[in-house]
């Protein structure tokens, strides 16, 4: 079943929408949640919450890519769980470190930068297209899927040192790219 058919099932409020979506994208959403949360029970709850959020938001939302929509919901919910746990512990987390690493390339949050968010997204998309496939894969695994450098090294047949070096260089490239495009970072 393709995304368009699945979205139509959501619009029809058919319970089959959740079952079919789980069959098609459940493992993908669990991969995202597992990388961020590193706890099977939290991951399962996160995926269920993401499916519930999709059910509650479609309609009125009508995502062009259900996979991307579910990925964003899952990722955001998982990050919220990490933030909540970090606030409870008042400690750091390896996944939070990935977000902190990328923060050095991002803009401070002000009303003006919030207005530029769409443009910034387009610039980052453009930047990603300038990277080699391997660089893009490593970058996205770290900063979208929040994989650890060790996991990326294993999945990409690289050393951890090579992954860290590539990420550092790519962050510097991103910062330079954004600066050249007129963003103060």
């Amino acid at each position: 079943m393709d995304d368009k058919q699945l979205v139509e099932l959501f619009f029809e409020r058919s319970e089959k929408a959740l079952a079919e979506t789980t069959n098609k994208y459940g493992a993908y959403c669990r991969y995202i949640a597992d990388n961020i949360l590193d706890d099977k029970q939290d991951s399962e709850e996160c995926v269920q919450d993401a499916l519930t959020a999709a059910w509650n938001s479609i309609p009125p939302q009508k995502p062009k890519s259900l996979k991307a929509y579910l990925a964003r919901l899952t990722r955001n919910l998982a990050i919220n769980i990490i933030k909540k746990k970090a606030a409870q512990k008042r400690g750091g987390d390896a996944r939070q470190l990935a977000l902190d690493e990328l923060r050095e390339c991002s803009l401070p949050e002000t009303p003006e930068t919030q207005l530029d968010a769409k443009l910034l997204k387009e610039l980052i998309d453009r930047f990603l297209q300038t990277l080699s496939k391997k660089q893009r894969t490593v970058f996205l695994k770290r900063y979208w899927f929040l994989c650890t450098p060790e996991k990326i090294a294993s999945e990409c047949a690289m050393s951890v040192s090579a992954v860290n070096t590539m990420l550092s260089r790519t962050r510097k490239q991103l910062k330079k790219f954004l600066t050249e495009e007129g963003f103060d970072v």
Side-chain angles (χ1 to χ4, degrees):
M1 189 170 282
D2 68 20
D3 283 6
K4 187 175 181 179
Q5 293 169 317
L6 287 171
V7 170
E8 286 304 317
L9 288 175
F10 278 96
F11 269 82
E12 293 168 7
R13 306 311 289 164
S14 170
E15 289 185 22
K16 187 177 177 186
L18 292 175
E20 293 293 329
T21 301
T22 300
N23 287 339
K24 186 169 183 179
Y25 295 122
Y28 178 67
C29 291
R30 272 188 300 284
Y31 176 81
I32 294 167
D34 285 345
N35 282 324
I36 297 169
L37 298 171
D38 204 27
D39 179 293
K40 294 292 182 196
Q41 184 177 355
D42 285 347
S43 294
E44 285 299 323
E45 288 178 24
C46 180
V47 170
Q48 290 305 313
D49 289 348
L51 290 168
T52 301
W55 179 261
N56 291 333
S57 62
I58 304 173
Q61 298 294 320
K62 191 169 188 173
K64 292 178 186 172
S65 169
L66 186 58
K67 182 178 182 179
Y69 189 72
L70 291 168
R72 186 178 50 130
L73 288 172
T74 303
R75 183 177 184 276
N76 290 344
L77 288 166
I79 288 171
N80 288 341
I81 290 168
I82 288 291
K83 287 179 180 176
K84 183 177 177 182
K85 285 185 173 187
Q88 289 171 346
K89 287 191 231 177
R90 297 287 187 245
D93 183 275
R95 283 17 178 228
Q96 187 63 42
L97 179 61
L99 298 173
D100 293 341
E101 288 171 0
L102 196 55
R103 192 166 291 123
E104 69 189 45
C105 299
S106 65
L107 300 171
E109 285 195 40
T110 66
E112 293 82 16
T113 60
Q114 289 175 352
L115 293 175
D116 290 338
K118 185 175 180 178
L119 176 60
L120 181 60
K121 178 199 172 299
E122 291 169 6
L123 286 172
I124 291 173
D125 286 345
R126 228 173 66 213
F127 170 75
L128 290 172
Q129 295 305 312
T130 69
L131 301 176
S132 70
K133 183 177 180 180
K134 191 166 198 168
Q135 273 183 298
R136 187 171 44 251
T137 298
V138 169
F139 191 83
L140 290 173
K141 281 184 178 290
R142 181 67 173 146
Y143 300 116
W144 174 256
F145 294 105
L146 298 179
C147 295
T148 63
E150 294 78 12
K151 185 169 186 173
I152 297 168
S154 172
E155 291 179 357
C156 295
M158 299 171 66
S159 70
V160 174
S161 175
V163 169
N164 287 330
T165 299
M166 182 182 285
L167 289 168
S168 176
R169 289 177 181 164
T170 306
R171 285 192 310 271
K172 287 176 185 171
Q173 285 177 284
L174 174 59
K175 188 172 184 175
K176 181 180 177 194
F177 180 85
L178 292 174
T179 301
E180 290 172 352
E181 293 295 325
F183 284 93
D184 294 323
V185 289

